[in-house]
Amino acid sequence: MNNLNGSKDGVPEPAHLTWVNIAIGLLFLLLDASLSIFFQLGLSVSLLTAAARCVLQLTVMGFVLQRVFETNSPWAVAGITCLLILLGTIETVVNKSKRRFQYMFPSVLLSMLSSAIPVSILGTRFAMGYDPWWQPAAYIPVVGMLCGNTISAIVVSTTSILRDVKDNRDKVEMYLAFGGSRWEACKPIATDALRLALTPTLNQMRRVLSTQFLPYFSLVALTYSVIGLISIPGIVLLYQQTE
């Protein structure tokens, strides 16, 4: 019987990465930076800074996660989850979003909490078959993937909504002047924003569905794609806040 927890015979052991492997990966970043300098894109400094920041963050996070894995405590998992969601909210509001609105930080925080936590619990417990569902090695990576998908969707949808509301201000005011509700006035804008935000998730689903000849990996890939749909509640909440 196959075991989704990875204890089945024949499942390869996790690879042990060294600094040599990291250096090989950095070669691609150096290539991108060189191309940026050659084509005068102005991205070389940003690429190198992001790479250094990534290595530093992953190093610190590795030490923290090692302790969490060793303790195997649900409270430690809950703390890491809250930290990831908080950092994701800060990244969304402060660094990623080009346009902002009043009370954006609590709105994004509530959106990520109300979407990432329920879906991650359902995904690890029922879709992936982990019992208990809060096992650190399973739950924390799922929460990380969910936060990444949510950040991208919120940034895309919020930017789209705020831009379209500004550009179509006359149309929105005309709807309101003729007795239309806020929902009727902004529904086309919200629909376009939802469609735009879900496009990356739909593209991922199209790619991973081609791997169905591998049942286990297909299940994991499909689960990863479906949990990206958690962006819908967050986008709807953000839309309500911008009305």
Side-chain angles (χ1 to χ4, degrees):
M1 180 68 66
N2 292 348
N3 191 336
L4 292 182
N5 294 347
S7 59
K8 183 178 73 67
D9 292 337
V11 175
E13 294 293 330
H16 178 70
L17 301 180
T18 65
W19 287 105
V20 175
N21 302 107
I22 297 177
I24 294 174
L26 288 176
L27 290 177
F28 294 98
L29 287 172
L30 294 177
L31 175 61
D32 292 338
S34 301
L35 292 174
S36 175
I37 294 174
F38 180 79
F39 290 105
Q40 298 180 349
L41 301 178
L43 299 176
S44 57
V45 176
S46 299
L47 284 171
L48 297 177
T49 303
R53 176 184 171 187
C54 179
V55 171
L56 178 62
Q57 289 178 339
L58 290 178
T59 302
V60 174
M61 187 61 69
F63 287 114
V64 175
L65 290 179
Q66 184 178 2
R67 291 295 186 90
V68 174
F69 291 160
E70 290 174 353
T71 57
N72 198 31
S73 169
W75 297 108
V77 174
I80 288 294
T81 301
C82 293
L83 177 61
L84 290 175
I85 292 176
L86 179 61
L87 292 176
T89 303
I90 295 174
E91 183 73 11
T92 301
V93 177
V94 178
N95 296 330
K96 298 294 185 180
S97 298
K98 297 180 180 179
R99 301 172 184 266
R100 300 179 180 87
F101 57 90
Q102 191 176 15
Y103 305 119
M104 183 175 180
F105 187 89
S107 299
V108 173
L109 180 61
L110 180 60
S111 300
M112 297 190 68
L113 285 171
S114 61
S115 56
I117 292 180
V119 175
S120 61
I121 294 175
L122 292 174
T124 53
R125 178 62 186 90
F126 297 105
M128 301 177 67
Y130 282 92
D131 187 17
W133 54 265
W134 49 263
Q135 291 185 30
Y139 186 75
I140 293 176
V142 169
V143 171
M145 290 187 292
L146 289 172
C147 288
N149 284 343
T150 308
I151 289 172
S152 300
I154 289 178
V155 170
V156 170
S157 59
T158 303
T159 302
S160 176
I161 288 177
L162 296 179
R163 182 189 64 244
D164 290 348
V165 167
K166 182 179 179 180
D167 295 342
N168 299 280
R169 179 176 179 180
D170 295 339
K171 294 181 181 179
V172 173
E173 291 180 348
M174 184 180 67
Y175 271 105
L176 298 176
F178 279 93
S181 64
R182 292 183 298 177
W183 170 251
E184 291 173 336
C186 298
K187 182 180 178 181
I189 297 175
T191 302
D192 291 340
L194 281 169
R195 185 181 296 110
L196 185 63
L198 291 175
T199 297
T201 301
L202 296 175
N203 291 335
Q204 289 177 358
M205 293 180 67
R206 293 190 185 100
R207 288 195 299 267
V208 301
L209 286 177
S210 62
T211 65
Q212 288 185 353
F213 63 93
L214 296 175
Y216 168 66
F217 292 104
S218 176
L219 175 61
V220 174
L222 182 58
T223 301
Y224 169 74
S225 297
V226 172
I227 58 182
L229 296 176
I230 65 162
S231 56
I232 293 179
I235 295 173
V236 172
L237 178 60
L238 287 175
Y239 164 72
Q240 294 174 348
Q241 292 291 334
T242 57
E243 289 182 342

